Amino acid sequence: MIKDLIKKEARRQKKVINLIPSENYVSKNVLAALGSPLTNKYAEGKSHQRYYFGNEVVDELEDEVKRLVLKVFKISSEEWGVNVQPYSGSIANMAAYLASVNVGDKILAMSLEHGGHLTHGHHVSWTGKLFKFEHYGVGHDGWLDYDGIAKIAKEFKPALIVCGATAYPRQLDFKKFKEISDSVGALLMADISHIAGLVVGGVHPSPFPYADIVTTTTQKTLRGPRGAIIISAKRPRPYANGGSGKTKNEKEILSDAIDKAVFPGLQGGPQVHTIAAMGVALEEAIKPSFKKYAKQIVNNAKKLSEELGRLGFKIVSGGTDNHLLLVDVTPLGLTGGEAGSKLEKAGIIVNKNMIPFDTRKPWDPSGIRLGTPAVTTQGMKEKDMVKIAEEISTILKQ
Ligand SMILES: *Cc1c(COP(=O)(O)O)cnc(C)c1O
């Protein structure tokens, strides 16, 4: 029975050491919201402008969740529009592209091989098929090369620049990205899916007010349900011809365009139970204890990285400033797949990952990616990281 499998998975989650940087353990209250009768309700449309009746409570709920979003990011409703309906980060990114540029326009983003996301224009993703992407990456030291990005932007003349990553262990300089996007007349989008909890917790710089559009998932460091949020500027979209030859309505407010791209552009009824669970997670993220949590995530990642470095492991970029680190396992005579599988047998769960300038393929790359959000939720501290590093070393070296 499915009920038994759910119990079995809950037991597995308790038993393992989970070092997947995009995963976390939500609170009982977030789980309760996800399992609440809100899942029964259809609420197509924006709050107070629905296609279904009986939404007076849902309207109140969605309004409150949007207020919480503005509050945690310390921004105002006069300048920023919030959409909490995207089913996932991938859909949120597609909505952001469709609302801000034309199909066929040029977008500049970080390459998957260097830490970007599939939805940042990889050719297997529809984002890469519908728009003309160019990619930037890191230098041989593993750090973003802003001069290099500025140079590519000048030559490529994108309509939109995307910053944000899924496997980059350093802080993002949103101000520098803004200078680059301004210099070529492009809009700036920050995809903070991985680091949203760190931004809210004050241990990573905020993309506000630099980015025109900010997308984020809510299930990662933010410790909420699987879902996504788009925050965008309430101002007319400054339109630069992005290479497709088509023009967009220059008077349209960016945040209105985003709302339309989400519904009815890409989605139907929002998952109201998920929106409620986001609200619960945001209420938790406002508390002082979340600041402590975010700080501990980074301290734990730094400790894990230092210890692994001390044990002779090759850490991409030489360490970490955030919640994750990339380890090149090829000096041990292993591939990322082999290392991940050895660790799994010992109850340590990671994911295999490309490293910058990888000579191997995504399915069996040269690296593994380790992160500390989940173990930090379980209360682990620096001393536990020392033990985990030793364990990883023992397993991978035997
Ligand atoms: C996780 C992630 C996404 C996609 O989120 P899903 O909810 O898995 O669709 C998009 N962008 C970045 C940077 C991510 O890390």
Side-chain angles (χ1 to χ4, degrees):
M1 290 237 288
I2 296 296
K3 206 173 82 187
D4 301 322
L5 289 175
I6 294 172
K7 276 195 193 139
K8 204 170 164 189
E9 168 61 9
R11 275 199 301 275
R12 185 200 67 83
Q13 289 186 11
K14 281 219 176 89
K15 210 170 61 195
V16 298
I17 292 172
N18 182 3
L19 295 178
I20 296 178
S22 50
E23 291 187 5
N24 213 327
Y25 297 117
V26 299
S27 69
K28 282 205 172 72
N29 290 339
V30 169
L31 278 183
L34 281 171
S36 71
L38 286 162
T39 194
N40 298 331
K41 191 70 199 102
Y42 245 107
E44 279 184 348
K46 291 198 213 187
S47 66
H48 310 285
Q49 298 169 43
R50 310 278 188 188
Y51 289 80
Y52 291 73
F53 292 94
N55 273 311
E56 66 272 19
V57 181
V58 170
D59 283 351
E60 231 180 286
L61 175 92
E62 189 168 340
D63 290 349
E64 176 60 15
V65 176
K66 288 191 200 173
R67 271 196 294 276
L68 285 164
V69 171
L70 293 165
K71 195 164 167 193
V72 297
F73 286 108
K74 302 186 176 74
I75 50 177
S76 93
S77 64
E78 270 137 55
E79 288 173 85
W80 299 95
V82 180
N83 191 306
V84 292
Q85 294 191 359
Y87 300 148
S88 73
S90 301
I91 301 275
N93 284 349
M94 186 58 115
Y97 301 150
L98 289 170
S100 55
V101 300
N102 291 298
V103 169
D105 271 358
K106 295 190 278 188
I107 306 178
L108 177 62
M110 191 167 183
S111 74
L112 182 77
E113 291 75 16
H114 287 210
H117 191 257
L118 274 170
T119 58
H120 295 179
H122 192 271
H123 64 86
V124 299
S125 156
W126 272 100
T127 58
K129 298 182 204 285
L130 289 180
F131 303 96
K132 196 166 171 239
F133 269 89
E134 180 63 71
H135 289 106
Y136 60 82
V138 295
H140 283 278
D141 57 1
W143 292 67
L144 275 174
D145 166 19
Y146 292 94
D147 292 338
I149 299 167
K151 214 170 134 226
I152 300 171
K154 259 203 183 84
E155 282 161 19
F156 184 58
K157 297 186 186 65
L160 176 70
I161 296 180
V162 182
C163 61
T166 131
Y168 183 62
R170 299 297 179 176
Q171 291 189 347
L172 296 170
D173 191 335
F174 297 113
K175 192 160 174 267
K176 270 202 185 133
F177 271 108
K178 177 67 174 165
E179 284 163 14
I180 295 171
S181 66
D182 276 350
S183 77
V184 295
L187 285 169
L188 180 65
M189 166 175 153
D191 176 354
I192 60 164
S193 291
H194 256 265
I195 53 170
L198 305 184
V199 170
V200 167
V203 292
H204 188 291
S206 171
F208 301 102
Y210 305 110
D212 301 285
I213 306 169
V214 174
T215 61
T216 182
T217 58
T218 50
Q219 72 268 25
K220 299 179 184 173
T221 48
L222 202 50
R223 210 163 56 185
R226 299 191 156 271
I229 299 170
I230 308 176
I231 304 162
S232 53
K234 275 189 183 171
R235 56 173 177 266
R237 172 182 38 213
Y239 186 68
N241 185 339
S244 66
K246 282 183 256 158
T247 51
K248 264 196 166 351
N249 174 2
E250 284 179 36
K251 292 205 187 87
E252 189 174 27
I253 302 291
L254 187 56
S255 62
D256 290 342
I258 296 269
D259 287 345
K260 278 187 224 157
V262 173
F263 174 86
L266 290 166
Q267 298 191 169
Q271 309 217 5
V272 188
H273 58 301
T274 300
I275 295 173
M278 269 179 202
V280 174
L282 292 167
E283 284 173 342
E284 292 171 3
I286 282 173
K287 292 186 186 154
S289 56
F290 194 85
K291 269 205 166 67
K292 262 173 93 180
Y293 166 62
K295 195 152 192 253
Q296 192 63 51
I297 292 178
V298 176
N299 289 346
N300 282 350
K302 280 186 188 288
K303 191 69 189 178
L304 186 59
S305 163
E306 272 166 32
E307 287 300 304
L308 285 172
R310 206 176 49 78
L311 293 163
F313 284 83
K314 200 171 150 197
I315 316 288
V316 172
S317 87
T320 178
D321 293 327
N322 60 21
H323 62 302
L324 67 82
L325 49 140
L326 282 171
V327 184
D328 179 357
V329 292
T330 54
L332 299 165
L334 294 170
T335 67
E338 287 163 354
S341 156
K342 274 187 152 194
L343 291 169
E344 185 185 45
K345 285 195 191 98
I348 297 177
I349 311 297
V350 303
N351 68 278
K352 50 189 176 186
N353 217 97
M354 303 271 277
I355 55 168
F357 309 100
D358 209 330
T359 49
R360 304 187 54 84
K361 295 270 175 283
W363 180 246
D364 198 10
S366 298
I368 53 174
R369 190 180 66 153
L370 314 176
T372 53
V375 291
T376 307
T377 293
Q378 291 174 317
M380 289 197 197
K381 299 256 160 63
E382 286 88 338
K383 63 176 188 337
D384 303 295
M385 298 305 115
V386 176
K387 277 193 218 142
I388 290 175
E390 276 164 8
E391 225 176 304
I392 289 174
S393 176
T394 310
I395 296 160
L396 294 187
K397 286 177 186 167
Q398 71 194 1

